[in-house]
Structures are given as structure tokens and as C-alpha cells.
Amino acid sequence: MNALLTCCAFRVAVPFFFMATGFFVFGPVLAGEEKGRERVKRFEWKHLRLYLSAILLYLPVNVYAGSLPANPGEAVKMLLFDGTFYHLWYFPAVMLGGLILMALLRVSIRCAAVCSGAAYLLGVLGDSWYGIAGEIPVLKPFYDLVFSVSSYTRNGFFFAPLFLFLGALAFRRRLSNKACLAGLAVSFPLMLLEGWLTYSWKLQRHNSMYGMLPVVMVFLFQLLCGGGLGKRKPSTEWMRSCSACVYLIHPAVIILLRGTAKWMGKTQQLIENSLAEFVLVCLISFGLSVVLTAVLPRILRKADQSLPPAKRGKGCKETGRPGETGGNIKTDPKNRAWVELDLKHLEQNVRQLEALLPKDCRLMPVVKADAYGHGAVLVSRVLWKLGIRQFCVASAEEGAELRRAGIGGEILILGYTSPSCFSMLSDFDLTQTVIDYEYGRILQTFGKKLKVQIAVDTGMHRLGERSTDFPKILELWKFQNLEITGVFSHLCVSEGASEEERRFTEQQAADYDHLLQSLERAGITGFRTHLQASYGILNYPEFTYDLARAGIALYGCLSSPGDRIRCPVTLTPVLSLKARIACVRWLHPEEGLGYGLRYRAVGERKIAVVSIGYADGIPRELSGKGCALVRGRKAPVVGTICMDQLFLDVTDIREAAQGDEAVFIGRSGDVCILAEEMAWQAGTISNELLCRLGKRLGRMSVRGS
Ligand SMILES: *Cc1c(COP(=O)(O)O)cnc(C)c1O
């Protein structure tokens, strides 16, 4: 009975872990999500790191127990299949299984199903049915070989791929609870029967794989998902780390507990009573894990900052946009209206701007307002890969979003943070702008050391003490809690080409320089300087400061199409905005169109209704003014723009049809619409247009990263 429970019924536990991993990590790949492969890569690296740490953690036990590998062959066997300590086989199994599954999925889903199923079958024959399989002459040498490299078939080759695959399938397909219960009612007794038979016939070489186990697991997993798992967000970061911690340390707790009990002479009460031991191990493991995962991250975050995001301890979160669902709904970012990002162009723009600046000046990209509508996390990850280590945002929330996504380096909040949110500054290691002297005093009273940069006003009169008020600025260095990492100012007419505007900008720079010299004379050093935003870089590249805050230029746009730039530079737009034609219809002469019937057909007109509107960020101002590209030709916007739809006159584009793409920003054939042109028509600048692009737009990268 006991054997049937522990060696058969309870064998559902480990496959469950594999299936959960399959569900969250490989499910998106199966569903064709574009971020899927990237997530798998992160998953593999993360587990490699965990595995290596766990090996080190248990190394003393290996040494104590004398269970170190005797030769290189055995070391490989331990590392690749068996794990160096009793529960650690899971790590190599999940990593190897994942790699195999990805390779199979590259061929086809059917191939993955057939191969992982066949491997599992071979595994079962080498596990609980080995008594029979080992007698078959053709199979014997095969298993001899297998068992010379792995102690069991329960490993990354025979065991893991199938359960990972089944978990991934559950991401796509849902069974009803009724079907699951019925399936379990049949399959579970069959598995117990299989367990009992193989056990009593002494066929088992080991007892973790049964032919019926995958069948049971499919129903059990789906039942436990309850149809809700896909909709709910994956558990919080903390719960994830805590459960991983429990898994890692529980054998150590067992060892410690046994040692302590022996030392106290309480072995009989604590250990021989297996229920007491079980409860104690659970309590201590959980307690310790809570402490470790709540306290350690604060310490680790500091050390983690120096690593690139891909190499960081914390998993990167998706930004949760449509088209990147965490659930089982398959979505296509190109469903109705979407943004395409060419990240290669982002890289080119970075290189172009860097080339303009003096050698020692580094870019400090501005990724506020969701990176001007491009997606702050996505953009920052690319920038990080390019070696950027300084970022600007507008709010503490924006900074926290980047940190949660694993972005390190310095993140400067360019604007105001309410004292009620100062804890975010320290929690997420954000650098706050000192708005003025009084604000600096309030930051000081928060009581914790905070990183800050001091804004100085050189003529815009927005944030910062006046640069001429040197004593007041100097006073800020007396605040012990402020770690001042920078002093910066902002230009306000750097886009202007007139004599007067140039003189004003040069005066701003002179005032800023003067302040910096005064600080230096007062013996204050060790902070960074920056003055230019995009137009400052493009029109005054000769300014020599430590950093330059590039915003709009980085995204390959100017603010307005007429702006003249002093530097020869080729910036390429990163973003395209597209939508689908919902339907095409004909208007008879004189018929009206849309709300208020503002448009009247002159002659027979062919109209395309496009599924994008002002809720997606198309300015309503463009009603009757704007245009889009359909099949490489310009089509004017007619009628009033609605919240979710608008009309194009496609009379001259004979082939225009339902489902076609309409391009609002970007290229179609040989024609191109720039963001600044569209913004200009709407009476605004590209900066505003881009950062108002709606949250419900699909988002996809078409090149790079
Ligand atoms: C928004 C902002 C920038 C970036 O401006 P761009 O013109 O887009 O380059 C730079 N500095 C400050 C202080 C800002 O607020």
C-alpha cells in the first residue's frame, strides 16, 4: 500500500512541475508568439545559473558523503543526467528536455509529439517495465548503453520532453472539467494497476515512469488549471523565487534537522516519527525561503546592477500588451491596428548620434512615455545590449517598470515624485531630479540615502534653481542623505535656427558652464553633466558634457518636418503604424459618410473603412485632412474620424480590398509617410503624436532583437 502510494500515485508531482514549465515557457512558442523563443532562452540561462549555484550549495555535502565523481566520465554523467545531489537531476532534465523540445518543434508539432512520445515509451520500458524490456535481446544493449551514461531513464532525454510538450499543449487546448474528471476516473486506477502489477511482478528497475502517467497528467493538469490558469497572471515574482528556494533548500533542511536531532538526542521523537519530520521540514523550509527571498533580493539587486539584463537574476516580464498575452488566447499583433518596430534602425540611430558627439560623451536615452510610444521595456533592452547604461524616464512608475524588466544602470526620473512615493526611489534604485532647493530638503528628510541629480534653470524656467543662484545650489551638497550623481540643465530653443535662438542657446550653455566652474572651484566633483536633448545634439554637437539626453532623434524622427538641422546625419524611423481595411464600399454621388455626414461624395467614390481611430492615437484633427498608404498609393482620410475606425477614399486604388494594410506612418511600396508629416497636419509635433499611440495597438518587432 505504502509503495503504491509513494512509488506510483505520488509520481504525479514531478511531471506536474514539468508541465507547468511547459505551459508557461513553451506554450507561447507553440502558440506562435513572437517573444516565445526569447523566453525559452532566458529560461535556459536562468536554470543553468540556478543549477550551478545548487551544485555549489551542496558541494560540501558531496565532499562529506564522499560522493564526488571518481572520473571525468562519471562527472559528466552526474552533471548531465543524474544531478550532483539527489533532487538536482531536475535541472539538467528540464534544460536538456527544453532544448530537445525546441529542436523538435522547429521541425513540426507532430514531430515533437511523436518523438517525445517515443522517447518516453523507451523510458518507461527502461524504468518500471525493465524486467521485460531487459530480457529482449535487441533492447538489452541499448539500455546497457543508456544506463552507463545515466542512472535512470527518468532524465532530460526520455522523461522531460513529453511532459514539457504536454504542458505546452495545455496552453493551446482546454478540456472541460467534466472530461478531465471522467478521464482521471479511468486513467488513474489504470495507472495504479500498472504500478501494482509491475511492482508485484518485480519488473521495476526504478519506479517513476508508467505508461499511464502522461494520460493521468493530461487530465490532472487541465483539471488543476480549472480553466483559470490561463487568464490569471503568473504568480508574483516573489512567489516564484520562494518556491524555487523551497525546492533548492529542503534537502539541506532535512540534513540539518537530522543532525540537530541526533545532537540533541531526540532522533526518536523527531525523525523516526516521519509525520513530525515531514511537518518540521516543511515549516523550516518555507520559513527559511520566505526570509531568503524577502531579504536577499535587496542585497542582490545592488550586485545585479552591473550585469546586462539578459544575465540578470530576475526573470524579465513582458509588458503585458495585446499580442503578448500571458494566457492561452492566441492573438496576432497584426489583427486590426498595430505598431511595427524596426530595432535595427534604433541601433543605427544610436550609432549615428554617438558619432556626432565628442568621444567621451555618452548617450543617455530618454525612454519616458513608454519610449515615445515605442515600448519602454523593449527599447531599453535593445539599448542595454548596445552598451547604454544610463536612462531617463518621467516618473517613478516608469523607472520601476524598467527595473522589473531587469534594466540596470542609472535610471533618472526627470520630473516630480511625490514624497509619498519616495520609497520607490530606494526600492528600485532610481535617481530623482532635485526640482529645487526646497524639494532637496524634503528628499533629505526621507531619512534614507537617495541618488539624485540636480536640475538647474538656465532660461527655460521649468525645473531647477536658477544657475545664477550658486549659493543655494551649493547648499544642496550639505544634505547628507543625497548622493548627487549629476547636475543638468535643459535647452528650450535649440531647434531654432535664427540668430536670436542660437545666441540664447549659447548663453544657456555659458551659464551652465559657469555654474560647473563655480562648483569645481568649491571643490565639488564626481558628478556627471548633461545639457542637450535631441536638438541640442543635432544642432550643437560641439558641446562637451558627460552625457546627452537623446529622445525623439533616437526614434529616427524630427519634431516637425520643416526643422533644419546643422549636422549631417541620417536618422531612420523605428516605428510604423498600420491598420487593416475592415471593408470597402461605394458611395453614390451626393451621399454622406460617417458621423455628422461631414463628407459628401462627389461622383461615385470607393471608400475603405479602416480599423483604427482616435482611441488608437490617430488625431481626430486629421478628419478630412490626413492620408494613409494602401498598396503603395496615397489615400486621403475622408469624413470624421471615429473612436475605432476611419474612412479612406480609395477610388483610385482599384485593387484595395478588405483585409489590406493601410499604412499611416511608414513605408508602403515606394511611398512613405513620416511621423512628423502626420503630426504637422494634425497641428502638433511627432513627439506628441507618437507618445499618444493607444495602448490597445498590437506591437511587434520586425527586425533586430
Ligand atoms: C523629454 C526630455 C528630453 C528628451 O527630449 P527630446 O527632444 O525628445 O530629445 C530631454 N531632457 C529632458 C529634461 C526632457 O524632459
Side-chain angles (χ1 to χ4, degrees), residues 495-561:
E495 72 280 12
S498 75
E499 187 65 23
E500 195 186 344
E501 287 162 323
R502 289 199 62 80
R503 221 177 307 122
F504 191 91
T505 302
E506 267 147 22
Q507 188 58 50
Q508 280 193 285
D511 289 351
Y512 179 54
D513 288 342
H514 185 73
L515 171 79
L516 296 177
Q517 281 154 16
S518 307
L519 285 171
E520 196 179 341
R521 252 180 275 120
I524 292 178
T525 52
F527 58 85
R528 277 187 276 252
T529 58
H530 43 108
L531 175 66
Q532 302 132 290
S534 293
Y535 279 89
I537 301 170
L538 297 171
N539 285 330
Y540 302 87
E542 66 278 9
F543 286 174
T544 309
Y545 302 106
D546 299 325
L547 299 162
R549 302 182 303 267
I552 192 69
L554 201 67
Y555 306 106
C557 299
L558 296 179
S559 294
S560 307

Side-chain angles (χ1 to χ4, degrees), residues 632-670:
R633 314 251 295 277
K634 261 194 183 166
V637 172
V638 291
T640 309
I641 293 175
C642 315
M643 186 184 282
D644 322 304
Q645 277 145 118
L646 54 75
F647 306 101
L648 296 177
D649 183 341
V650 291
T651 311
D652 299 334
I653 308 171
R654 184 157 322 150
E655 325 82 75
Q658 187 172 59
D660 273 5
E661 288 183 14
V663 178
F664 291 82
I665 299 173
R667 177 169 292 282
S668 170
D670 303 328

Side-chain angles (χ1 to χ4, degrees), residues 366 368 372 414 462 488 490 533-534 549-552 687:
V366 181
K368 62 189 179 187
Y372 294 46
L414 294 168
R462 190 169 68 174
F488 71 96
H490 194 45
S534 293
R549 302 182 303 267
I552 192 69
N687 313 43

Side-chain angles (χ1 to χ4, degrees), residues 125-135 140 143-144 147 203 205:
L125 290 176
D127 192 270
S128 50
W129 290 89
Y130 187 66
I132 290 178
E135 297 303 319
K140 180 84 171 92
Y143 283 112
D144 286 344
F147 293 130
L203 299 177
R205 182 179 179 275

